[in-house]
Amino acid sequence: MEAEATYVQKDDVIEFIRANREIFEKKLLSEAVNVASKIHDILQRGNIDLLKNAEKLVGYIVEQDEESLIAFAEIEGFAWAEHSLTVAFKLEWVQAIRRTLWQFLNQFEIMNGTFSDKNDFFELEKRINDQVDQFLNTFFLSYTKYKDELLNSQRKLVEHLSVPIIPISTSVAVLPLIGMIDEYRMQIIEEKVLMDISRLKVQTLIMDLSGIADMEKNVIDHFQKVLNGINMMGSKAVITGMRPELVRNMIHTGINFVQKAETRGTLQQTLRHYLDIEKMM
């Protein structure tokens, strides 16, 4: 197949590749068999033109435009992550670009005889391979960064949904807390509580802790600061359902919620109490 290909001769490598674009693309597709069958799907799914981008990447590599190469890799990493495209395809595609570029450089050398010294060739080999590796490294860092940010965003959304502030009247709301409360979740609770007190105009927030067995000392300390924030927002905090394990831990750590919030036995008793007060008003 290569013997039948008729190359247009050019004195510049980039011009040589552009003048022989059809041959380059044909060789590239033959090198990346698995990706070749997915080119149309990737274009439809992510509006990513693999052949056009391959030519752009080769241009940055040959012209040693490292700044543009890194910026392009970051954009590519973001796009592939955003559209959940398979990174294995990307790796196969870039390695196919590397092999195809070297085939073209070999053909360019045959037609132009540019490498009079083998040291020149080895220097070129190192430079080009280093830039391909730089592209891949930057691509994967960008891809991973986007995926990590997406996971954190999804986790934060789930955590927000696990902090349900439920209005039971025009001025009273309930926050039932269940499960493990770590420092990260306490930050979500702080953010959600302060935002919803302002949004819902909550005057009394009943926080039911019956679904929490225990808290670490740093989490208890953070919770106390949340109670401070509730008071600063002009709202009253009422805590119900504290279990013996949690109370014991508070005693031993010297932290007490009593000065920051009213404490009551059960959520049912507390709701009855505050709803009766509202009826009397």
Side-chain angles (χ1 to χ4, degrees):
M1 186 69 72
E2 288 188 18
E4 297 175 357
T6 303
Y7 290 88
V8 177
Q9 185 170 3
K10 293 288 181 179
D11 296 330
D12 178 78
V13 174
I14 290 296
E15 292 303 318
F16 177 69
I17 293 172
R18 288 173 179 166
N20 297 282
R21 180 181 286 111
E22 289 187 10
I23 301 174
F24 185 91
E25 291 181 353
K26 188 175 181 180
K27 285 181 176 295
L28 178 56
L29 293 173
S30 69
E31 288 286 341
V33 179
N34 293 324
V35 181
S37 62
K38 300 290 184 180
I39 281 185
H40 180 71
D41 292 341
I42 292 173
L43 179 62
Q44 290 293 108
R45 186 170 170 182
N47 195 29
I48 299 171
D49 190 330
L50 288 180
L51 291 173
K52 182 178 178 181
N53 287 355
E55 183 177 339
K56 185 183 294 187
L57 175 58
V58 166
Y60 294 146
I61 292 171
V62 174
E63 293 172 349
Q64 302 179 56
D65 188 351
E66 186 174 354
E67 184 177 345
S68 296
L69 181 142
I70 291 174
F72 181 55
E74 289 175 346
I75 293 171
E76 284 276 276
F78 179 88
W80 280 66
E82 183 181 23
H83 298 288
S84 298
L85 298 172
T86 307
V87 292
F89 283 156
K90 186 64 175 182
L91 182 59
E92 179 183 345
W93 185 245
V94 174
Q95 298 295 12
I97 292 173
R98 188 202 302 262
R99 293 191 296 272
T100 305
L101 174 58
W102 276 113
Q103 291 176 35
F104 260 64
L105 289 172
N106 180 59
Q107 185 64 39
F108 182 79
E109 162 62 16
I110 292 172
M111 299 179 72
N112 293 276
T114 54
F115 299 122
S116 57
D117 189 323
K118 68 177 182 180
N119 289 329
D120 293 339
F121 174 81
F122 287 126
E123 183 180 338
L124 176 66
E125 180 185 34
K126 182 179 186 305
R127 187 171 69 242
I128 287 179
N129 285 333
D130 283 351
Q131 288 183 82
V132 173
D133 292 339
Q134 174 73 70
F135 175 85
L136 284 173
N137 289 338
T138 306
F139 170 86
F140 284 119
L141 285 173
S142 177
Y143 184 97
T144 303
K145 181 181 178 183
Y146 178 87
K147 285 295 187 182
D148 287 346
E149 289 174 351
L150 181 61
L151 287 173
N152 287 333
S153 175
Q154 290 173 340
R155 180 186 176 189
K156 191 171 183 179
L157 176 61
V158 170
E159 293 290 358
H160 268 277
L161 293 175
S162 70
V163 185
I165 294 182
I166 307 164
I168 60 170
S169 73
T170 55
S171 63
V172 180
V174 176
L175 170 58
L177 294 174
I178 60 173
M180 182 67 185
I181 306 291
D182 57 12
E183 186 66 26
Y184 175 80
R185 192 173 178 206
M186 186 55 70
Q187 292 175 4
I188 300 296
I189 291 171
E190 176 184 324
E191 180 181 333
K192 185 78 182 295
V193 164
L194 298 182
M195 291 288 289
D196 280 9
I197 284 176
S198 175
R199 181 174 62 87
L200 300 172
K201 303 295 187 289
V202 175
Q203 295 178 22
T204 302
L205 179 63
I206 303 170
M207 307 175 78
D208 182 53
L209 308 186
S210 59
I212 299 173
D214 203 356
M215 291 184 190
E216 296 295 329
K217 181 181 182 302
N218 61 322
V219 177
I220 294 175
D221 185 59
H222 195 159
F223 190 82
Q224 188 171 233
K225 292 175 181 176
V226 173
L227 297 179
N228 284 336
I230 293 172
N231 290 330
M232 292 172 67
M233 294 288 293
S235 183
K236 176 183 178 181
V238 180
I239 298 176
T240 67
M242 284 201 295
R243 298 172 68 172
E245 298 90 339
L246 178 57
V247 174
R248 189 180 303 115
N249 197 356
M250 290 173 60
I251 292 172
H252 287 291
T253 56
I255 298 175
N256 195 329
F257 294 159
V258 174
Q259 295 179 346
K260 310 296 181 182
E262 178 184 333
T263 57
R264 287 182 168 268
T266 67
L267 176 61
Q268 290 80 3
Q269 292 171 346
T270 308
L271 288 176
R272 193 178 306 118
H273 173 77
Y274 277 95
L275 289 177
D276 285 344
I277 289 175
E278 286 223 335
K279 289 177 183 178
M280 295 170 60
M281 294 175 64

